[in-house]
Amino acid sequence: MTVLIVGGSGFLGTELVRQARAAGHSTVATYATQPSSASPSVWRHLDLRDAGNLDAVMSEVRPHLVINASSGSAHWPTTAEGPIRLAMTAAKYGTRIVHVSSDAIFSGSDVDYHESSLPDPITPYGAAKAAAETGVLAVHPKAAVARTSLIIGHGQSVHEKVVHDLATGLRDGVLFTDDIRCPVHVTDLAAALLELAAANATGIHHPAGPDADSRHELGILIAERDGLDPTQLPTGLRAESTLPGTLDVRLDSRATQRGLRTTLRGARQFLQPGSAL
């Protein structure tokens, strides 16, 4: 099977490339700026804003499956319109697609969110991600949308690097005690996405971890695992900061987990001292 991983140079994309190749799939990965250390069968440059570029890549690769692991930003043409364009092209070629979305689509007013929960974003990034998943499902009814949370693992995630820098004094800042998410290990998430694809899953899924942790609680777990002093991690309240964003958003992953062989571990499990990164 040929798998096209959009955003293959990113953190999640790199792990998807590794697992797809290990499973024996011919793997083509795309990059927006430059390739990464991932080793797909082939790299292809892709700009999701460019319909001609997108069609050319799909026509050449002719993948059986597309996984959109691109993260993007609040830039509407890239993060909102780009995935919809990708799904339209996948539908044109009769290609399955799994689109990775985010818990940023929720405001936090309900705290616990199920697969049937409707987006109510309060940030430009959340609005772009919400528009993307709604549009993807509209133009490609057989698409799967996978909403996830903070992605951790291998010491390479943004949050792990921030914790190291804070604990060693390389940067200023705080870890919020009121900003709560359901972290997932990148290895578990990539395996779950490939499993959803193999099962021809459609609709909305929540591959996130079962533990709800604050940014500070997560930082303590990372510090203890990596032999750092957790008392060096400064704390603060997001509610008192000028940073936009939601506070407490918990993706309920129980229904999604029941349909998976892959175990979506919680942070308290995969960040135990002595555990593999």
Side-chain angles (χ1 to χ4, degrees):
M1 180 171 72
T2 299
V3 180
L4 176 64
I5 299 172
V6 177
S9 59
F11 179 49
L12 173 59
T14 297
E15 180 62 20
L16 281 165
V17 168
R18 185 189 71 79
Q19 291 194 28
R21 290 209 67 184
H25 301 309
S26 174
T27 307
V28 180
T30 76
Y31 64 92
T33 306
Q34 62 182 12
S36 70
S37 60
S39 301
S41 306
V42 181
W43 280 107
R44 287 288 181 268
H45 175 264
L46 179 63
D47 184 343
L48 289 176
R49 300 169 298 177
D50 186 338
N53 177 209
L54 180 53
D55 193 79
V57 170
M58 288 289 290
S59 177
E60 177 188 355
V61 176
R62 295 283 176 161
H64 300 89
L65 166 67
V66 174
I67 301 180
N68 181 23
S70 60
S71 55
S73 61
H75 186 241
W76 193 267
T78 301
T79 305
E81 297 172 2
I84 300 172
R85 192 173 292 113
L86 174 63
M88 292 174 66
T89 308
K92 171 185 172 181
Y93 286 93
T95 304
R96 285 179 289 153
I97 183 170
V98 176
H99 170 72
V100 180
S101 189
S102 166
D103 57 12
I105 67 169
F106 296 121
S107 68
S109 60
D110 288 339
V111 180
D112 292 304
Y113 290 90
H114 303 265
E115 289 83 349
S116 60
S117 298
L118 297 178
D120 61 341
I122 60 173
T123 64
Y125 174 69
K129 295 296 284 188
E133 68 169 52
T134 301
V136 165
L137 291 172
V139 302
H140 196 319
K142 294 184 179 180
V145 168
R147 296 169 177 161
T148 194
S149 191
L150 290 179
I151 308 174
I152 306 296
H154 308 318
Q156 297 301 309
S157 67
V158 171
H159 198 72
E160 286 168 286
K161 292 176 181 179
V162 167
V163 168
H164 275 246
D165 288 348
L166 287 173
T168 55
L170 292 179
R171 67 182 291 166
D172 296 324
V174 299
L175 294 177
F176 296 127
T177 58
D178 59 345
D179 185 331
I180 298 172
R181 298 294 187 273
C182 294
V184 64
H185 197 285
V186 67
T187 301
D188 301 344
L189 177 57
L193 294 173
L194 290 167
E195 189 177 339
L196 288 171
N200 293 323
T202 61
I204 295 173
H205 307 268
H206 281 185
D211 296 342
D213 302 290
S214 72
R215 301 268 182 167
H216 183 250
E217 289 171 331
L218 186 59
I220 290 174
L221 291 172
I222 292 169
E224 291 176 342
R225 180 199 65 184
D226 296 344
L228 301 171
D229 183 358
T231 66
Q232 297 302 307
L233 299 175
T235 63
L237 293 173
R238 184 164 195 149
E240 296 178 353
S241 77
T242 59
L243 291 176
T246 55
L247 297 180
D248 194 339
V249 176
R250 310 181 189 201
L251 294 181
D252 189 324
S253 59
R254 288 176 294 180
T256 294
Q257 178 65 87
R258 285 195 292 269
L260 294 172
R261 295 186 305 275
T262 300
T263 299
L264 298 166
R265 296 168 293 166
R268 297 183 189 93
Q269 181 179 358
F270 65 72
L271 289 174
Q272 287 182 357
S275 62
L277 293 179

